[in-house]
């Protein structure tokens, strides 16, 4: 990722942290694969920490698999969002990938913080929309460039699965309409 691209995401995260006054609540960062969601989310956590606002970042990638791109939500709802709403620490079992094969990994324990940021494809889905403090859609480049970004990240051996994932996203977002419920962010 070019340095100036990272710097622009950092500036945007600083603007969001200041303008939106995020101090507590459930935040979703959604958008298509390869759009910059993870980069923005990490920068938002940093921007919030710079302002002494404590947050936890959970990625939907810790739950999704090639074969199960979206129906794992009840697990995230129970173990993470439900715990957040009860002000309990989070205990969940993220997926561990070995040679391209996901398995349920060991339990992870994370201390509750007043801001929970859920980042990833389907994060702002309709079933959680009424409980979100803020929802952001990350607009990214065209599909071909997004595919190249994800292949660069995950490896050439994943190209076919990543292309299929983009097709899943097309169908998911056509039905769920998450972008329409989010504040759209992007960098050129």
């Amino acid at each position: 990722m070019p340095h100036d691209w990272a710097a622009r995401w950092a500036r945007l995260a600083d603007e969001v942290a200041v303008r939106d006054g995020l101090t507590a609540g459930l935040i979703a960062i959604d958008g298509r694969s390869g759009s910059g969601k993870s980069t923005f989310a990490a920068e938002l956590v940093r921007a919030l920490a710079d302002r002494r606002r404590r947050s936890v970042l959970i990625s939907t990638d810790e739950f999704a698999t090639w074969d199960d791109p979206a129906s794992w939500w009840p697990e995230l709802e129970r173990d993470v969002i439900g715990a957040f709403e009860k002000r309990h620490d989070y205990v969940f079992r993220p997926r561990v990938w070995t040679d391209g094969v996901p398995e349920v990994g060991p339990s992870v324990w994370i201390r509750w913080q007043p801001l929970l940021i859920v980042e990833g494809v389907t994060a702002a889905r309709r079933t959680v929309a009424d409980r979100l403090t803020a929802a952001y859609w990350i607009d990214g480049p065209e599909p071909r460039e997004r595919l190249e970004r994800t292949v660069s990240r995950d490896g050439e051996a994943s190209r076919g699965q990543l292309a299929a994932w983009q097709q899943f996203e097309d169908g998911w977002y056509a039905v769920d309409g998450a972008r329409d419920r989010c504040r759209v962010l992007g960098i050129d």
Side-chain angles (χ1 to χ4, degrees), residues 9 28-32 35 37 40 121-122 124 135-140 169 172-173 176-186:
W9 279 121
I29 300 172
D30 207 329
R32 296 176 184 276
S35 62
K37 296 178 306 299
F40 174 74
V121 173
T122 80
Y136 302 101
W137 177 272
I138 305 303
D139 256 355
E169 292 172 346
W172 173 269
Y173 290 124
D176 186 75
R179 187 178 191 277
D180 297 336
R181 292 186 301 279
C182 294
R183 182 161 154 232
V184 178
L185 303 174

Side-chain angles (χ1 to χ4, degrees), residues 46-117:
R46 179 210 43 83
L48 293 166
D50 288 351
R51 290 156 181 83
R52 300 185 195 276
R53 299 181 200 158
R54 299 173 303 166
S55 64
V56 169
L57 174 60
I58 302 291
S59 173
T60 62
D61 287 349
E62 296 180 289
F63 296 89
T65 65
W66 298 125
D67 297 332
D68 188 11
S71 63
W72 45 263
W73 187 263
E75 181 183 354
L76 184 136
E77 179 78 42
R78 178 191 69 232
D79 296 344
V80 178
I81 295 174
F84 172 76
E85 292 173 337
K86 294 175 186 170
R87 300 177 66 97
H88 293 172
D89 293 349
Y90 318 112
V91 178
F92 64 100
R93 298 182 68 192
R95 303 307 170 264
V96 175
W97 292 74
T98 305
D99 297 325
V101 178
E103 294 183 8
V104 176
S107 290
V108 171
W109 171 78
I110 301 174
R111 182 170 302 282
W112 184 91
Q113 298 296 334
L115 279 165
L116 173 62
I117 301 168

Side-chain angles (χ1 to χ4, degrees), residues 153-172:
R153 179 192 67 208
D154 296 347
E156 189 61 42
S158 299
R159 181 178 292 277
Q161 291 165 310
L162 292 165
W165 185 268
Q166 281 187 334
Q167 290 178 343
F168 158 76
E169 292 172 346
D170 290 344
W172 173 269

